[in-house]
């Protein structure tokens, strides 16, 4: 079974490090890239064939880049995470699912949540 391909987009160092810790020993999860800007993220999502894109969670709403990702790549899932340990998962909006994570294992579970149901 192929690994879930994860792309990180503009997340804080603490969040990036948390994601890397969460996937480092998981054979079914793979970080395929890091994109600094929204434009780089949109391009990289297609080029790298990402399954899940992790972006920063803005206060009160869907991250702007998430809308573009979902429009351009309907099969992709966007996980908007905060440094406070929460995340909102978006796939074909408006289907937000809020998840909480405090440990690397919980974050890994949040990353693979939708994908496990489809496999």
């Amino acid at each position: 079974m192929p690994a879930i391909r994860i792309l990180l987009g503009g997340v804080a160092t603490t969040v990036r490090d948390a994601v890397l810790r969460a996937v480092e020993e998981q054979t079914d999860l793979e970080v395929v890239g890091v994109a600094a800007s929204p434009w780089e993220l949109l391009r990289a999502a297609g080029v790298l064939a990402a399954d899940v894109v992790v972006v920063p969670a803005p206060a009160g709403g869907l991250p702007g880049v998430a809308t573009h990702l979902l429009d351009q790549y309907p099969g992709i899932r966007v996980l908007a995470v905060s440094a406070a340990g929460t995340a909102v998962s978006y796939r074909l909006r408006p289907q937000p699912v809020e998840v909480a994570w405090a440990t690397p294992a919980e974050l890994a579970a949040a990353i693979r949540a939708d994908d496990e149901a489809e496999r």
Side-chain angles (χ1 to χ4, degrees), residues 4 6 19 22-23 26 28-29 51-54 77-81 85-91 97-116:
I4 296 169
I6 304 160
V19 171
V23 303
Q26 308 297 319
D28 65 329
L29 301 176
D51 299 307
V52 177
V53 176
V54 178
R77 186 164 60 91
V78 177
L79 190 65
V81 297
T86 60
V88 179
S89 175
Y90 298 93
R91 184 186 292 274
V97 176
E98 189 164 350
V99 293
W101 57 274
T103 67
E106 290 169 337
L107 181 54
I111 289 169
R112 65 171 71 91
D114 281 356
D115 293 289
E116 285 181 341

Side-chain angles (χ1 to χ4, degrees), residues 5-27:
R5 300 173 58 80
I6 304 160
L7 174 61
L8 304 175
V11 293
T13 302
T14 54
V15 173
R16 185 195 68 226
D17 291 346
V19 171
L20 293 174
R21 275 193 313 276
V23 303
E24 69 185 350
E25 295 183 18
Q26 308 297 319
T27 59

